[in-house]
Every structure is written in C-alpha cells, then in structure tokens.
Amino acid sequence: DGHIKRPSNNFILFRKIAHDQKNQTTALSDYNERQFSQIIGKIWKGLSQGEREEYKQLGKEVAEMHKKMFPKYKYQPKRDK
C-alpha cells in the first residue's frame, strides 16, 4: 500500500533485541507477551545511562539508514475525525 513505517526508537530496538533472545531461550518462552513486555519495561527503566546511550546511538544509526532508504519520508500522523 506504499505505507512507510517510522524508524524504531531506542526502547523499541531494545525490546526487539530482547524478544529475539526470548525466542532463543527456552526458559523465557514460558512468559506470554504481556508479562514479557512488563519485564522488559522494568529492565529498561533500570538500565544505566551508559547502557541507554548505546541504544540511543543504535537508534541514530537506524534513523540514518531509514533516511537514506526513504529520503522523502516525513512523519505525518493521521488525525482522528
């Protein structure tokens, strides 16, 4: 349909990486998505500034790649009528 998704932010990148690890670890597969999201949110809040900085840098890299792939992209949220 031609829709271009927004680039992922820092937390979303963190969650995607954690979700990939969840799928590879049998001990974590017992958690449903809701429980897992709650755990990931608590872990994110507990990260040090340095650890968050790594994801901030990753977010910048993803945004740059997105900008190169879609140079005319502009975020335009649709308003409810």
Side-chain angles (χ1 to χ4, degrees), residues 17-33:
I17 292 168
H19 195 269
D20 290 344
Q21 291 175 350
K22 174 188 179 239
N23 290 337
Q24 296 173 0
T25 307
T26 56
L28 295 175
S29 63
D30 294 338
Y31 295 104
N32 64 32
E33 288 301 315

Side-chain angles (χ1 to χ4, degrees), residues 65-81:
M65 288 189 321
H66 188 273
K67 196 173 194 175
K68 288 178 184 176
M69 291 172 59
F70 308 105
K72 294 183 180 184
Y73 172 80
K74 182 179 177 186
Y75 177 61
Q76 296 175 328
K78 299 199 190 259
R79 294 186 177 177
D80 293 335
K81 291 182 178 182

Side-chain angles (χ1 to χ4, degrees), residues 23-76:
N23 290 337
Q24 296 173 0
T25 307
T26 56
L28 295 175
S29 63
D30 294 338
Y31 295 104
N32 64 32
E33 288 301 315
R34 181 177 179 199
Q35 294 168 323
F36 188 71
S37 289
Q38 290 172 344
I39 293 167
I40 291 301
K42 289 177 184 176
I43 292 171
W44 176 255
K45 288 179 183 178
L47 290 180
S48 69
Q49 190 64 30
E51 291 169 321
R52 283 191 184 199
E53 193 64 36
E54 292 177 32
Y55 288 99
K56 186 176 182 179
Q57 183 62 36
L58 183 61
K60 287 181 182 179
E61 291 172 15
V62 168
E64 274 300 313
M65 288 189 321
H66 188 273
K67 196 173 194 175
K68 288 178 184 176
M69 291 172 59
F70 308 105
K72 294 183 180 184
Y73 172 80
K74 182 179 177 186
Y75 177 61
Q76 296 175 328

